[in-house]
Coordinates of all heavy atoms in Angstrom, one line a residue:
M1 N 0.9 -1.2 0.0 CA 0.0 -0.1 -0.1 C 0.9 1.2 0.1 O 1.8 1.4 0.8 CB -1.0 0.0 1.3 CG -2.1 0.9 1.1 SD -3.2 0.9 2.5 CE -2.1 1.7 3.7
K2 N 0.6 2.2 -0.9 CA 1.3 3.5 -1.0 C 1.3 4.2 0.3 O 0.2 4.5 0.9 CB 0.5 4.2 -2.1 CG 1.4 5.3 -2.8 CD 0.9 5.8 -4.0 CE 0.3 7.1 -4.0 NZ -0.2 7.6 -5.3
L3 N 2.4 4.7 0.7 CA 2.6 5.5 1.9 C 2.2 7.0 1.6 O 2.4 7.4 0.5 CB 3.9 5.5 2.5 CG 4.5 4.1 2.9 CD1 5.9 4.1 3.1 CD2 3.7 3.6 4.2
D4 N 1.5 7.7 2.5 CA 1.2 9.0 2.3 C 2.5 9.9 2.1 O 3.3 10.0 3.0 CB 0.4 9.4 3.7 CG -0.2 10.8 3.5 OD1 0.3 11.6 2.6 OD2 -1.1 11.1 4.3
A5 N 2.5 10.5 1.0 CA 3.7 11.4 0.6 C 4.0 12.4 1.7 O 5.3 12.7 1.9 CB 3.5 12.0 -0.8
S6 N 3.1 12.9 2.3 CA 3.2 14.0 3.4 C 3.9 13.4 4.5 O 4.6 14.2 5.4 CB 1.9 14.7 3.7 OG 1.1 13.8 4.4
K7 N 3.8 12.1 4.8 CA 4.4 11.5 5.9 C 5.9 11.1 5.7 O 6.5 10.6 6.7 CB 3.5 10.4 6.5 CG 2.2 10.8 6.9 CD 1.5 9.9 7.7 CE 0.1 10.2 8.2 NZ -1.1 9.5 7.7
L8 N 6.3 11.0 4.5 CA 7.5 10.4 4.1 C 8.8 11.2 4.8 O 9.6 10.6 5.4 CB 7.8 10.4 2.6 CG 6.9 9.2 2.0 CD1 7.1 9.4 0.4 CD2 7.3 7.9 2.4
P9 N 8.8 12.5 4.8 CA 10.0 13.2 5.3 C 10.2 12.8 6.7 O 11.4 12.5 7.2 CB 9.6 14.7 5.3 CG 8.7 14.8 4.0 CD 7.8 13.4 4.1
A10 N 9.2 12.7 7.5 CA 9.5 12.3 9.0 C 9.9 10.9 9.0 O 10.7 10.5 9.8 CB 8.2 12.6 9.8
L11 N 9.3 10.0 8.3 CA 9.6 8.6 8.3 C 11.1 8.4 7.8 O 11.8 7.7 8.4 CB 8.7 7.9 7.2 CG 8.4 6.4 7.4 CD1 7.9 6.1 8.7 CD2 7.4 5.9 6.3
L12 N 11.6 9.2 6.7 CA 12.9 9.0 6.4 C 13.9 9.6 7.4 O 15.0 9.0 7.7 CB 13.1 9.9 5.1 CG 13.0 9.2 3.7 CD1 11.6 8.5 3.6 CD2 13.3 10.1 2.6
Q13 N 13.4 10.7 8.0 CA 14.3 11.3 9.1 C 14.6 10.3 10.1 O 15.7 10.2 10.7 CB 13.8 12.5 9.6 CG 14.5 13.4 10.5 CD 15.8 13.8 9.8 OE1 15.9 14.1 8.6 NE2 17.0 13.7 10.6
Q14 N 13.6 9.5 10.4 CA 13.7 8.6 11.5 C 14.6 7.4 11.1 O 15.4 6.8 12.0 CB 12.3 8.1 11.9 CG 12.3 7.5 13.4 CD 10.9 7.0 13.8 OE1 10.0 7.4 13.2 NE2 10.9 6.2 14.9
H15 N 14.3 6.8 9.9 CA 14.9 5.6 9.6 C 16.1 5.6 8.6 O 17.0 4.8 8.6 CB 13.8 4.7 9.0 CG 12.7 4.3 10.0 ND1 12.9 3.5 11.0 CD2 11.5 4.9 10.1 CE1 11.7 3.4 11.7 NE2 11.0 4.2 11.2
I16 N 16.1 6.4 7.6 CA 17.0 6.5 6.5 C 17.3 8.0 6.2 O 17.0 8.5 5.1 CB 16.6 5.7 5.2 CG1 15.0 6.0 4.9 CG2 16.7 4.2 5.4 CD1 14.5 5.5 3.6
P17 N 17.9 8.7 7.1 CA 18.1 10.2 7.1 C 18.8 10.6 5.9 O 18.8 11.8 5.6 CB 18.8 10.5 8.4 CG 19.4 9.3 8.9 CD 18.5 8.3 8.5
K18 N 19.6 9.7 5.2 CA 20.6 10.2 4.1 C 19.7 10.1 2.7 O 20.2 10.6 1.7 CB 21.8 9.4 3.9 CG 22.8 9.8 5.1 CD 23.9 8.9 5.0 CE 25.0 9.4 6.3 NZ 26.0 8.4 6.5
W19 N 18.5 9.6 2.8 CA 17.6 9.5 1.6 C 16.8 10.7 1.5 O 16.3 11.5 2.5 CB 16.8 8.4 1.7 CG 17.6 7.1 1.6 CD1 18.6 6.4 2.5 CD2 17.7 6.3 0.3 NE1 19.1 5.4 1.8 CE2 18.6 5.1 0.6 CE3 17.0 6.3 -0.9 CZ2 18.8 4.2 -0.3 CZ3 17.2 5.2 -1.8 CH2 18.2 4.2 -1.5
K20 N 16.4 11.1 0.3 CA 15.5 12.2 0.0 C 14.2 11.8 -0.8 O 14.3 10.6 -1.3 CB 16.2 13.3 -1.0 CG 17.5 14.0 -0.3 CD 18.0 15.0 -1.3 CE 19.1 15.9 -0.7 NZ 19.8 15.2 0.4
V21 N 13.2 12.6 -0.7 CA 12.1 12.2 -1.4 C 12.0 13.1 -2.6 O 12.2 14.4 -2.7 CB 10.7 12.6 -0.6 CG1 9.6 12.2 -1.5 CG2 10.8 11.9 0.8
L22 N 11.9 12.5 -4.0 CA 11.6 13.2 -5.1 C 10.2 13.0 -5.4 O 9.6 12.1 -5.0 CB 12.5 12.6 -6.2 CG 14.1 12.7 -6.0 CD1 14.7 12.2 -7.3 CD2 14.5 14.1 -5.6
S23 N 9.7 14.0 -6.3 CA 8.2 13.9 -6.6 C 8.0 13.7 -8.2 O 8.8 14.0 -9.0 CB 7.5 15.1 -6.1 OG 8.1 16.2 -6.5
E24 N 6.6 13.4 -8.3 CA 6.1 13.2 -9.7 C 7.0 12.3 -10.6 O 7.7 12.8 -11.5 CB 5.8 14.5 -10.3 CG 4.6 15.1 -9.6 CD 4.4 16.7 -10.1 OE1 4.6 16.9 -11.2 OE2 4.0 17.5 -9.1
P25 N 7.0 11.0 -10.4 CA 6.2 10.3 -9.4 C 7.2 10.3 -8.1 O 8.3 10.4 -8.1 CB 6.1 8.8 -9.8 CG 7.3 8.7 -10.7 CD 7.6 10.1 -11.4
T26 N 6.4 10.1 -7.1 CA 7.0 10.1 -5.6 C 8.0 8.9 -5.6 O 7.6 7.8 -5.9 CB 5.9 9.9 -4.5 OG1 5.1 11.0 -4.7 CG2 6.7 10.1 -3.2
R27 N 9.2 9.3 -5.2 CA 10.2 8.1 -5.0 C 11.4 8.5 -4.1 O 11.5 9.8 -3.8 CB 10.8 7.8 -6.5 CG 11.4 9.0 -7.2 CD 11.5 8.9 -8.6 NE 12.3 9.9 -9.3 CZ 12.1 11.2 -9.6 NH1 10.8 11.7 -9.3 NH2 12.9 11.9 -10.3
L28 N 12.1 7.6 -3.6 CA 13.2 7.8 -2.7 C 14.5 7.9 -3.5 O 14.7 7.0 -4.4 CB 13.3 6.6 -1.6 CG 12.0 6.4 -0.8 CD1 12.3 5.2 0.2 CD2 11.5 7.6 -0.2
Q29 N 15.4 8.6 -3.0 CA 16.7 8.7 -3.8 C 17.9 8.9 -2.8 O 17.8 9.7 -1.9 CB 16.6 10.2 -4.7 CG 17.7 10.2 -5.7 CD 19.0 10.8 -5.2 OE1 19.0 11.5 -4.2 NE2 20.1 10.6 -5.9
R30 N 19.0 8.3 -3.2 CA 20.3 8.6 -2.6 C 21.4 8.2 -3.7 O 21.2 7.3 -4.3 CB 20.5 7.6 -1.3 CG 21.7 8.1 -0.6 CD 22.2 7.4 0.6 NE 23.6 7.8 0.8 CZ 24.4 7.3 1.8 NH1 23.9 6.3 2.7 NH2 25.5 7.7 1.9
S31 N 22.5 9.0 -3.4 CA 23.7 8.6 -4.3 C 24.7 8.2 -3.4 O 25.0 8.8 -2.4 CB 24.0 10.0 -4.9 OG 23.1 10.3 -5.9
Y32 N 25.4 7.1 -3.7 CA 26.5 6.6 -2.9 C 27.8 6.7 -3.7 O 27.8 6.7 -5.0 CB 26.4 5.0 -2.7 CG 25.3 4.6 -1.8 CD1 24.1 4.3 -2.4 CD2 25.4 4.4 -0.4 CE1 22.9 3.9 -1.6 CE2 24.4 4.0 0.5 CZ 23.2 3.8 -0.1 OH 22.2 3.4 0.6
A33 N 28.8 7.1 -3.0 CA 30.2 7.3 -3.6 C 31.2 6.4 -3.0 O 31.4 6.4 -1.7 CB 30.7 8.7 -3.6
F34 N 31.6 5.4 -3.7 CA 32.6 4.3 -3.2 C 34.0 4.8 -3.5 O 34.3 5.7 -4.2 CB 32.1 3.0 -3.6 CG 30.9 2.6 -3.0 CD1 29.8 2.7 -3.7 CD2 30.8 1.9 -1.8 CE1 28.4 2.4 -3.3 CE2 29.5 1.6 -1.4 CZ 28.4 1.8 -2.0
K35 N 35.1 3.8 -3.1 CA 36.4 4.1 -3.4 C 36.6 4.1 -4.9 O 37.5 4.8 -5.5 CB 37.3 3.2 -2.5 CG 38.7 3.4 -2.7 CD 39.6 2.5 -1.8 CE 39.5 1.0 -1.9 NZ 40.3 0.5 -3.1
D36 N 36.1 3.0 -5.4 CA 36.4 2.8 -6.8 C 35.3 1.8 -7.4 O 34.3 1.6 -6.7 CB 37.7 2.0 -7.0 CG 37.9 0.8 -6.2 OD1 36.9 0.2 -5.7 OD2 39.0 0.5 -5.9
F37 N 35.4 1.5 -8.7 CA 34.4 0.7 -9.3 C 34.1 -0.7 -8.6 O 33.0 -1.2 -8.6 CB 34.7 0.4 -10.8 CG 33.7 -0.4 -11.6 CD1 32.5 0.1 -11.9 CD2 34.1 -1.7 -11.8 CE1 31.6 -0.7 -12.5 CE2 33.2 -2.5 -12.5 CZ 31.9 -2.0 -12.8
N38 N 35.2 -1.3 -8.3 CA 35.3 -2.6 -7.6 C 34.3 -2.5 -6.3 O 33.4 -3.5 -6.1 CB 36.6 -3.1 -7.2 CG 36.7 -4.5 -6.7 OD1 36.1 -5.4 -7.6 ND2 37.2 -4.8 -5.7
E39 N 34.5 -1.5 -5.5 CA 33.6 -1.4 -4.3 C 32.1 -1.1 -4.7 O 31.3 -1.5 -4.1 CB 34.2 -0.2 -3.5 CG 35.5 -0.4 -2.9 CD 35.4 -1.2 -1.6 OE1 34.6 -1.0 -0.8 OE2 36.1 -2.3 -1.6
A40 N 31.9 -0.3 -5.6 CA 30.5 0.1 -6.1 C 29.9 -1.2 -6.7 O 28.7 -1.5 -6.3 CB 30.5 1.2 -7.3
W41 N 30.7 -2.0 -7.5 CA 30.0 -3.2 -8.1 C 29.8 -4.2 -6.9 O 28.8 -5.0 -6.9 CB 30.9 -3.8 -9.1 CG 30.3 -4.8 -9.9 CD1 30.6 -6.1 -9.7 CD2 29.2 -4.8 -10.8 NE1 29.7 -6.8 -10.6 CE2 28.9 -6.0 -11.3 CE3 28.6 -3.7 -11.3 CZ2 27.8 -6.2 -12.3 CZ3 27.6 -3.7 -12.3 CH2 27.3 -5.0 -12.8
G42 N 30.7 -4.3 -6.0 CA 30.4 -5.2 -4.8 C 29.2 -4.9 -4.1 O 28.3 -5.7 -3.7
F43 N 29.0 -3.6 -3.9 CA 27.7 -3.1 -3.2 C 26.5 -3.4 -4.0 O 25.6 -4.0 -3.4 CB 27.8 -1.5 -3.1 CG 26.5 -0.9 -2.7 CD1 26.0 -1.0 -1.4 CD2 25.7 -0.2 -3.5 CE1 24.8 -0.5 -0.9 CE2 24.6 0.5 -3.2 CZ 24.1 0.4 -1.8
M44 N 26.6 -3.2 -5.3 CA 25.4 -3.5 -6.2 C 25.3 -5.0 -6.2 O 24.0 -5.5 -6.2 CB 25.6 -3.0 -7.6 CG 25.8 -1.5 -7.6 SD 26.1 -0.9 -9.2 CE 24.6 -1.0 -10.2
S45 N 26.1 -5.8 -6.1 CA 26.0 -7.2 -6.2 C 25.4 -7.8 -4.9 O 24.4 -8.6 -4.9 CB 27.4 -8.0 -6.2 OG 28.1 -7.6 -7.4
R46 N 25.7 -7.4 -3.8 CA 25.1 -7.6 -2.5 C 23.7 -7.2 -2.5 O 22.8 -7.9 -2.1 CB 25.8 -7.0 -1.3 CG 27.2 -7.6 -0.9 CD 27.9 -6.8 0.1 NE 29.1 -7.4 0.5 CZ 30.2 -7.3 0.0 NH1 30.6 -6.4 -1.1 NH2 31.4 -7.9 0.4
V47 N 23.5 -5.9 -2.9 CA 22.1 -5.5 -3.0 C 21.2 -6.3 -3.9 O 20.1 -6.6 -3.7 CB 22.0 -4.0 -3.4 CG1 20.6 -3.4 -3.7 CG2 22.7 -3.0 -2.3
A48 N 21.9 -6.7 -5.1 CA 21.0 -7.5 -6.0 C 20.7 -8.8 -5.5 O 19.5 -9.2 -5.8 CB 22.0 -7.6 -7.3
L49 N 21.5 -9.4 -4.7 CA 21.0 -10.7 -4.1 C 19.8 -10.6 -3.3 O 18.9 -11.4 -3.2 CB 22.2 -11.3 -3.3 CG 23.4 -11.8 -4.2 CD1 24.5 -12.3 -3.3 CD2 23.1 -12.9 -5.2
H50 N 19.9 -9.4 -2.5 CA 18.7 -9.3 -1.6 C 17.5 -8.9 -2.3 O 16.4 -9.4 -2.1 CB 19.1 -8.0 -0.5 CG 17.9 -7.6 0.2 ND1 17.5 -8.2 1.3 CD2 17.1 -6.6 0.0 CE1 16.4 -7.6 1.8 NE2 16.1 -6.7 0.9
A51 N 17.7 -7.9 -3.3 CA 16.5 -7.5 -4.1 C 15.8 -8.7 -4.7 O 14.6 -8.8 -4.9 CB 17.0 -6.5 -5.1
E52 N 16.5 -9.5 -5.2 CA 16.0 -10.7 -6.0 C 15.1 -11.6 -5.0 O 14.0 -12.1 -5.3 CB 17.1 -11.6 -6.7 CG 16.5 -12.6 -7.6 CD 15.7 -12.1 -8.7 OE1 15.7 -10.8 -9.0 OE2 15.1 -12.8 -9.5
K53 N 15.7 -11.8 -3.8 CA 15.0 -12.6 -2.8 C 13.7 -11.9 -2.3 O 12.7 -12.6 -2.2 CB 16.0 -12.7 -1.5 CG 16.4 -14.1 -1.4 CD 17.1 -14.3 0.1 CE 18.6 -13.8 0.0 NZ 19.4 -14.0 1.2
A54 N 13.8 -10.5 -2.2 CA 12.6 -9.8 -1.8 C 11.6 -9.4 -2.9 O 10.5 -8.9 -2.8 CB 13.2 -8.5 -1.1
D55 N 12.1 -9.8 -4.2 CA 11.2 -9.4 -5.4 C 10.9 -7.9 -5.4 O 9.8 -7.6 -5.6 CB 10.1 -10.3 -5.5 CG 9.4 -10.2 -6.9 OD1 10.1 -9.9 -7.9 OD2 8.1 -10.3 -7.0
H56 N 11.9 -7.2 -5.0 CA 11.7 -5.6 -5.0 C 13.1 -5.0 -5.4 O 14.0 -5.4 -4.8 CB 11.2 -5.1 -3.7 CG 10.7 -3.8 -3.8 ND1 9.5 -3.5 -4.4 CD2 11.1 -2.6 -3.3 CE1 9.3 -2.2 -4.3 NE2 10.2 -1.6 -3.7
H57 N 13.2 -4.3 -6.5 CA 14.4 -4.0 -7.2 C 14.6 -2.5 -7.3 O 13.7 -1.8 -7.6 CB 14.4 -4.7 -8.7 CG 14.2 -6.1 -8.5 ND1 12.8 -6.7 -8.5 CD2 15.1 -7.1 -8.7 CE1 12.9 -8.0 -8.5 NE2 14.3 -8.4 -8.6
P58 N 15.9 -2.1 -7.1 CA 16.1 -0.7 -7.3 C 16.2 -0.2 -8.7 O 16.6 -1.0 -9.6 CB 17.5 -0.6 -6.7 CG 18.2 -1.9 -6.8 CD 17.0 -2.9 -6.8
N59 N 15.9 1.0 -9.1 CA 16.4 1.6 -10.3 C 17.7 2.4 -9.9 O 17.7 3.1 -9.0 CB 15.4 2.8 -10.6 CG 14.1 2.3 -11.2 OD1 13.8 1.1 -10.9 ND2 13.4 3.1 -11.8
W60 N 18.7 2.0 -10.6 CA 20.0 2.6 -10.3 C 20.9 2.8 -11.5 O 20.7 2.3 -12.5 CB 20.7 1.8 -9.2 CG 20.8 0.4 -9.4 CD1 20.7 -0.3 -10.6 CD2 21.3 -0.6 -8.4 NE1 20.9 -1.6 -10.4 CE2 21.2 -1.8 -9.1 CE3 21.6 -0.6 -7.1 CZ2 21.7 -3.1 -8.5 CZ3 21.9 -1.8 -6.6 CH2 21.9 -2.9 -7.1
Y61 N 21.9 3.7 -11.2 CA 22.7 4.1 -12.3 C 24.1 4.2 -11.8 O 24.3 4.9 -10.7 CB 22.3 5.6 -12.9 CG 23.0 6.1 -14.0 CD1 22.8 5.7 -15.2 CD2 23.9 7.1 -13.8 CE1 23.5 6.1 -16.3 CE2 24.8 7.7 -14.8 CZ 24.5 7.1 -16.1 OH 25.2 7.7 -17.2
N62 N 25.1 3.5 -12.5 CA 26.5 3.5 -12.0 C 27.4 4.1 -12.9 O 27.4 3.8 -14.1 CB 26.8 1.9 -11.7 CG 28.3 1.7 -11.6 OD1 28.8 1.0 -12.5 ND2 28.9 2.2 -10.7
V63 N 28.2 5.0 -12.4 CA 29.4 5.4 -13.1 C 30.6 5.3 -12.3 O 30.6 6.0 -11.2 CB 29.2 7.0 -13.7 CG1 30.4 7.3 -14.4 CG2 27.9 7.1 -14.5
Y64 N 31.5 4.4 -12.6 CA 32.7 4.1 -11.9 C 32.5 3.9 -10.5 O 32.0 2.8 -10.2 CB 33.8 5.3 -12.1 CG 35.1 5.1 -11.4 CD1 35.8 3.8 -11.8 CD2 35.7 5.8 -10.6 CE1 36.9 3.5 -11.1 CE2 36.9 5.6 -9.9 CZ 37.5 4.3 -10.2 OH 38.7 4.1 -9.6
N65 N 32.8 4.9 -9.6 CA 32.5 4.7 -8.1 C 31.2 5.0 -7.6 O 31.1 5.0 -6.3 CB 33.6 5.3 -7.3 CG 33.6 6.9 -7.4 OD1 33.2 7.4 -8.5 ND2 33.8 7.5 -6.2
R66 N 30.4 5.7 -8.4 CA 29.1 6.2 -8.0 C 27.9 5.3 -8.3 O 28.0 4.7 -9.4 CB 28.9 7.6 -8.6 CG 29.9 8.7 -8.2 CD 29.5 10.0 -8.8 NE 28.1 10.3 -8.2 CZ 27.9 11.0 -7.0 NH1 28.9 11.4 -6.4 NH2 26.8 11.2 -6.6
V67 N 27.0 5.3 -7.4 CA 25.7 4.5 -7.6 C 24.6 5.4 -7.3 O 24.4 5.8 -6.1 CB 25.7 3.3 -6.8 CG1 24.3 2.5 -7.2 CG2 26.9 2.3 -7.0
D68 N 23.9 5.9 -8.2 CA 22.6 6.7 -8.0 C 21.4 5.8 -7.9 O 21.2 5.0 -8.9 CB 22.5 7.9 -9.1 CG 23.8 8.7 -9.1 OD1 24.3 8.9 -8.0 OD2 24.0 9.2 -10.2
V69 N 20.6 5.9 -6.8 CA 19.5 5.0 -6.7 C 18.2 5.8 -6.5 O 18.2 6.8 -5.8 CB 19.8 4.2 -5.3 CG1 18.8 3.1 -5.2 CG2 21.1 3.5 -5.2
E70 N 17.2 5.2 -7.2 CA 15.9 5.6 -6.9 C 15.1 4.5 -6.6 O 15.1 3.4 -7.3 CB 15.3 6.4 -8.1 CG 16.0 7.8 -8.4 CD 15.5 8.6 -9.4 OE1 14.4 8.2 -9.9 OE2 15.9 9.6 -9.7
L71 N 14.0 4.6 -5.5 CA 13.2 3.4 -5.2 C 11.8 3.9 -5.2 O 11.5 5.0 -4.6 CB 13.6 3.0 -3.8 CG 15.0 2.6 -3.4 CD1 15.2 2.2 -2.1 CD2 15.5 1.5 -4.5
S72 N 11.0 3.1 -5.9 CA 9.6 3.3 -5.7 C 8.8 1.9 -6.0 O 9.6 1.0 -6.5 CB 9.1 4.3 -6.8 OG 9.2 3.7 -8.1
T73 N 7.7 1.9 -5.9 CA 6.9 0.6 -6.1 C 6.0 0.8 -7.4 O 5.1 1.6 -7.2 CB 6.1 0.2 -4.8 OG1 7.0 0.1 -3.7 CG2 5.4 -1.1 -5.2
H74 N 6.3 0.3 -8.4 CA 5.8 0.7 -9.8 C 4.3 0.3 -9.7 O 3.3 1.1 -10.1 CB 6.4 -0.2 -10.9 CG 8.1 -0.2 -10.7 ND1 8.7 -1.3 -11.0 CD2 8.9 0.9 -10.4 CE1 10.0 -1.0 -10.7 NE2 10.0 0.4 -10.4
D75 N 4.0 -0.9 -9.1 CA 2.6 -1.3 -9.1 C 1.8 -0.4 -8.3 O 0.6 0.0 -8.7 CB 2.5 -2.7 -8.3 CG 3.5 -3.7 -8.9 OD1 4.2 -3.4 -9.8 OD2 3.4 -4.9 -8.5
A76 N 2.2 0.2 -7.2 CA 1.6 1.1 -6.3 C 1.6 2.6 -6.8 O 0.8 3.4 -6.3 CB 2.0 1.0 -4.9
G77 N 2.4 2.9 -7.7 CA 2.6 4.2 -8.2 C 3.1 5.2 -7.1 O 2.6 6.3 -7.1
G78 N 4.0 4.8 -6.3 CA 4.6 5.5 -5.2 C 5.5 4.8 -4.4 O 6.2 3.8 -4.7
V79 N 5.7 5.2 -3.2 CA 6.6 4.7 -2.2 C 5.8 3.8 -1.2 O 4.8 4.3 -0.7 CB 7.5 5.8 -1.6 CG1 8.2 5.3 -0.3 CG2 8.3 6.5 -2.5
T80 N 6.3 2.7 -1.0 CA 5.6 1.8 0.0 C 6.7 1.3 1.0 O 7.9 1.6 0.9 CB 5.1 0.4 -0.7 OG1 6.2 -0.4 -1.2 CG2 4.2 0.8 -1.9
Q81 N 6.2 0.6 1.9 CA 7.1 0.0 3.0 C 8.2 -0.8 2.4 O 9.3 -0.9 2.9 CB 6.2 -0.8 4.0 CG 7.0 -1.3 5.2 CD 7.5 -0.2 5.9 OE1 6.9 0.9 6.3 NE2 8.9 -0.2 6.4
K82 N 8.0 -1.5 1.3 CA 9.0 -2.2 0.5 C 10.2 -1.3 0.1 O 11.4 -1.7 0.2 CB 8.5 -2.9 -0.7 CG 7.6 -4.0 -0.5 CD 7.2 -4.6 -1.7 CE 6.4 -5.9 -1.5 NZ 6.2 -6.6 -2.9
D83 N 10.0 -0.1 -0.2 CA 11.0 0.8 -0.6 C 11.9 1.4 0.7 O 13.1 1.4 0.6 CB 10.3 2.1 -1.3 CG 9.7 1.6 -2.5 OD1 10.4 1.0 -3.3 OD2 8.5 1.9 -2.7
I84 N 11.0 1.5 1.8 CA 11.7 1.9 3.0 C 12.6 0.8 3.4 O 13.8 0.8 3.8 CB 10.7 2.2 4.1 CG1 9.6 3.3 3.6 CG2 11.4 2.5 5.5 CD1 10.2 4.7 3.8
D85 N 12.1 -0.6 3.3 CA 12.8 -1.7 3.7 C 14.1 -1.8 2.9 O 15.1 -2.2 3.4 CB 12.0 -2.9 3.7 CG 10.8 -3.0 4.7 OD1 10.9 -2.2 5.6 OD2 9.9 -3.8 4.7
L86 N 14.0 -1.8 1.6 CA 15.1 -1.9 0.7 C 16.2 -0.8 0.9 O 17.4 -1.1 1.0 CB 14.7 -1.8 -0.8 CG 15.7 -1.9 -1.9 CD1 16.6 -3.3 -1.7 CD2 15.2 -2.0 -3.3
A87 N 15.7 0.5 1.1 CA 16.6 1.5 1.5 C 17.5 1.1 2.8 O 18.6 1.4 2.9 CB 15.9 2.9 1.5
T88 N 16.7 0.8 3.7 CA 17.3 0.3 5.0 C 18.3 -0.7 4.9 O 19.3 -0.7 5.4 CB 16.2 -0.2 6.0 OG1 15.3 1.0 6.1 CG2 16.7 -0.5 7.4
K89 N 18.0 -1.7 4.0 CA 18.9 -2.8 3.7 C 20.2 -2.2 3.0 O 21.4 -2.7 3.3 CB 18.2 -3.8 2.9 CG 19.0 -5.1 2.5 CD 19.3 -5.9 3.7 CE 20.2 -7.1 3.4 NZ 20.3 -8.0 4.6
M90 N 20.1 -1.4 2.0 CA 21.2 -0.7 1.3 C 22.0 0.0 2.3 O 23.3 -0.1 2.2 CB 20.6 0.1 0.3 CG 20.0 -0.7 -0.9 SD 19.2 0.4 -2.2 CE 20.5 0.5 -3.3
E91 N 21.4 0.6 3.2 CA 22.2 1.5 4.2 C 23.0 0.4 5.0 O 24.2 0.8 5.4 CB 21.3 2.2 5.1 CG 20.5 3.4 4.5 CD 21.7 4.5 4.0 OE1 22.2 5.2 4.8 OE2 21.9 4.5 2.7
K92 N 22.5 -0.7 5.5 CA 23.1 -1.7 6.3 C 24.4 -2.2 5.4 O 25.5 -2.3 6.0 CB 22.2 -2.8 6.7 CG 22.8 -3.7 7.6 CD 22.0 -4.9 8.1 CE 22.6 -6.0 8.6 NZ 24.1 -5.8 9.2
I93 N 24.0 -2.6 4.2 CA 25.2 -3.1 3.4 C 26.4 -2.0 3.2 O 27.4 -2.4 3.3 CB 24.6 -3.6 2.0 CG1 23.6 -4.9 2.2 CG2 25.8 -3.9 0.9 CD1 22.8 -5.2 1.0
A94 N 25.9 -0.9 2.9 CA 26.9 0.2 2.6 C 27.7 0.5 3.9 O 29.0 0.6 3.9 CB 26.3 1.5 2.2
H95 N 27.0 0.3 5.0 CA 27.6 0.6 6.4 C 28.6 -0.6 6.6 O 29.9 -0.4 7.1 CB 26.6 0.6 7.4 CG 27.2 0.9 8.8 ND1 27.4 -0.2 9.7 CD2 27.7 1.9 9.5 CE1 28.0 0.3 10.8 NE2 28.1 1.5 10.7
D96 N 28.3 -1.8 6.2 CA 29.1 -3.0 6.5 C 30.3 -3.0 5.6 O 31.4 -3.6 6.0 CB 28.3 -4.3 6.3 CG 27.3 -4.6 7.3 OD1 27.3 -3.9 8.4 OD2 26.4 -5.5 7.1
M97 N 30.2 -2.2 4.6 CA 31.4 -2.0 3.6 C 32.3 -0.9 4.0 O 33.1 -0.4 3.3 CB 30.9 -1.9 2.2 CG 30.2 -3.1 1.6 SD 29.6 -2.8 0.1 CE 31.1 -2.5 -0.9
G98 N 31.9 -0.3 5.2 CA 32.8 0.9 5.6 C 32.4 2.3 5.2 O 33.1 3.2 5.3
Q99 N 31.1 2.4 4.7 CA 30.6 3.6 4.3 C 30.1 4.5 5.5 O 29.4 3.9 6.3 CB 29.4 3.4 3.4 CG 29.8 3.2 1.9 CD 30.2 4.5 1.1 OE1 29.5 5.4 1.0 NE2 31.5 4.5 0.8
Ligands
LIG101 N1 10.5 -3.6 -7.8 C1 10.1 -2.4 -7.6 N2 10.9 -1.4 -7.1 N3 8.7 -2.0 -7.9 C2 7.8 -3.0 -8.2 O1 6.7 -2.6 -8.4 C3 8.3 -4.3 -8.5 C4 9.7 -4.5 -8.4 N4 7.5 -5.2 -8.9 N5 10.1 -5.8 -8.5 C5 7.7 -6.5 -9.0 C6 9.4 -6.9 -9.2 C7 7.0 -7.2 -10.0 O2 7.2 -6.6 -11.3 C8 7.0 -8.7 -10.2 C9 6.3 -9.4 -11.2 O3 6.6 -9.2 -8.9

């Protein structure tokens, strides 16, 4: 179920403070910068394994050490708890990698 866009800033602040809300369509955004391509790809590999298990996948764009991520739930036409959960998992993976 789509989360109320007006409630997202507070939810992000509490759980995933480095993420931003973009609009039309409503989506979550964060850019990661790693040491090099190897680290960025390692991060993406770990996230990919989780995403496939959860059947919820990021939109992302990688250039060398940077990974730009946008999360939304296409079926719901906005942001759902699944996006918050995936963002939370990405934060944990990045943290475990020394970010
Ligand atoms: N990922 C994301 N981010 N949003 C979706 O709506 C979505 C998905 N739908 N992964 C899933 C797959 C759907 O296409 C399959 C058929 O379950």
